[in-house]
Amino acid sequence: MHSPHIAKPTTVSVIMLKVLAALVPGLILSVFFNGIGVLAQLALATATALLAEAAMLKLRGVPVRFFLRDGSAVLTAWLLALTMPSLGAWWLIVVATLFAIVIAKQLYGGLGNNPFNPAMAGFAAVIVAFPAQMAQWASPGVPLNALQQLAYIFTHQLPSSGAPDAVAPATSLGLLKTRMLLDGYDVSQFFATPLYGHVAGFGSVWIALAYLAGGLFLWRQQLIPWQTPVAMLVGVASVALPLWQYDPVHFANPLFHLTASATMLAAFFIVTDPVTAPATSRGRLIFGFLVGVLLYVIRVFGGMPDAVAFAVLIMNIAVPFIDHTIQPPVFGAKRKGGPA
């Protein structure tokens, strides 16, 4: 028998398949609460990612079929689709996916060489370049049917009969900031609105719990470390809690921030990316915690309520420094990098 410390052999494609499976519960609930537009975004992102990956592999002169089957391009596409607006124009997800695969991944040498999380790089590129087009969410109060959602994604046309409010300009995070800054709402007034409830908005809690369940599955499968997601969630709560206690009129409670937007998705599926996160346990704790702090600061005090991408990308820059500072000495050496 193998000793307990010997890991079972696995492949990149098997790992990616398990991560995709862990995303399925959150995907199903996203479709249930936000509509069929989520699946349209997913299909567009997946097709674009596979075509872009194949083209770049061909240009680089490496085996296309071998690397295309590892599933990393599909995972990038899914993560992008689950963070993009459900009713965003078809070309928006295509541009984001092309940036993620071509610029953020393949130009750096492909899987394992990219310093930045490709999905977050693609998201950041389009939200900076096209902020108005990124505010195209299905309104829970005026739902569109499946055909109307698809028509809006591909033609940007709403049905002629009474659906001017069917497209919401922001998520619950963006709406909270808008209502407080422009309309003079306090947090309690926002939470009292029937469409957004008392926690994180229409369906957000259930979707967050689904991502939490998927993340726990990956942890039980020993595919992700516990340090990064736990540290990130602690980082968010450590800033949200004292500010909420200090001024509950202007700051939402920690549970809102933990379940709003893509917080849980980021904690278990994005910051746990082994390529763009630190290699050591202490490094992961530092990395995750600072991602959580930055996420809250940008979300609340910055101009972007959906701050996950920027928090992750900023900390991706710091990963080499964290690894260099935190890594233990080489066995037999008196100090890090020193002679034996």
Side-chain angles (χ1 to χ4, degrees):
M1 279 181 77
H2 291 304
S3 299
H5 60 274
I6 298 179
K8 295 179 181 179
T10 188
T11 63
V12 173
S13 58
V14 170
I15 293 172
M16 296 298 171
L17 186 61
K18 289 183 178 180
V19 177
L20 290 171
L23 282 169
V24 169
L27 169 62
I28 292 173
L29 287 177
S30 294
V31 174
F32 178 78
F33 287 111
N34 297 313
I36 201 70
V38 176
L39 288 181
Q41 303 293 336
L42 192 77
L44 287 167
T46 302
T48 304
L50 290 173
L51 291 173
E53 183 101 329
M56 290 300 295
L57 291 171
K58 185 72 173 178
L59 287 173
R60 292 176 53 216
V62 297
V64 175
R65 182 175 297 181
F66 176 80
F67 287 102
L68 202 61
R69 289 186 300 184
D70 66 17
S72 60
V74 176
L75 178 58
T76 296
W78 281 39
L79 292 174
L80 252 179
L82 290 170
T83 54
M84 295 285 285
S86 58
L87 295 181
W90 67 269
W91 56 266
L92 197 62
I93 187 69
V94 170
V95 171
T97 307
L98 286 174
F99 189 94
I101 297 296
V102 176
I103 306 297
K105 181 183 178 184
Q106 287 297 329
L107 288 187
Y108 283 100
L111 181 66
N113 298 298
N114 49 288
F116 302 101
N117 185 283
M120 295 298 94
F123 182 92
V126 291
I127 201 170
V128 169
F130 310 106
Q133 290 80 1
M134 286 289 285
Q136 303 289 315
W137 298 89
S139 173
V142 189
L144 297 173
N145 63 41
L147 290 178
Q148 289 170 336
Q149 289 186 48
L150 294 176
Y152 187 79
I153 290 170
F154 289 98
T155 68
H156 207 64
Q157 297 294 319
L158 288 171
S160 55
S161 56
D165 299 323
V167 180
T171 60
S172 57
L173 285 167
L175 186 64
L176 174 61
K177 178 173 289 191
T178 301
R179 289 284 177 87
M180 290 179 64
L181 290 178
L182 300 181
D183 300 335
Y185 274 45
D186 63 39
V187 171
S188 62
Q189 288 176 302
F190 173 80
F191 286 153
T193 57
L195 291 181
Y196 292 94
H198 294 276
V199 185
F202 187 77
S204 293
V205 176
W206 291 107
I207 296 171
L209 290 175
Y211 289 138
L212 172 61
L216 292 176
F217 164 77
L218 294 179
W219 173 70
R220 290 289 295 174
Q221 291 287 309
Q222 299 182 352
L223 296 178
I224 63 172
W226 65 266
Q227 293 93 344
T228 329
V230 169
M232 180 191 148
L233 297 177
V234 169
V236 173
S238 67
V239 186
L241 180 60
L243 287 175
W244 172 61
Q245 291 180 326
Y246 171 73
D247 187 1
V249 172
H250 296 101
F251 296 102
N253 62 72
L255 189 59
F256 173 84
H257 287 283
L258 291 174
T259 56
S261 188
T263 303
M264 285 293 175
L265 178 66
F268 291 99
F269 294 93
I270 294 173
V271 298
T272 52
D273 175 17
V275 177
T276 57
T280 64
S281 296
R282 283 199 300 160
R284 294 177 191 131
L285 288 170
I286 295 170
F287 174 80
F289 182 81
L290 291 179
V291 167
V293 171
L294 282 173
L295 187 154
Y296 183 90
V297 170
I298 298 171
R299 176 183 285 178
V300 174
F301 300 104
M304 297 290 183
D306 295 317
V308 167
F310 299 99
V312 171
L313 293 174
I314 290 171
M315 287 310 302
N316 284 162
I317 299 173
V319 166
F321 175 76
I322 294 173
D323 277 337
H324 176 75
T325 306
I326 298 300
Q327 67 179 355
V330 177
F331 181 75
K334 295 181 179 178
R335 63 182 187 276
K336 287 188 288 186

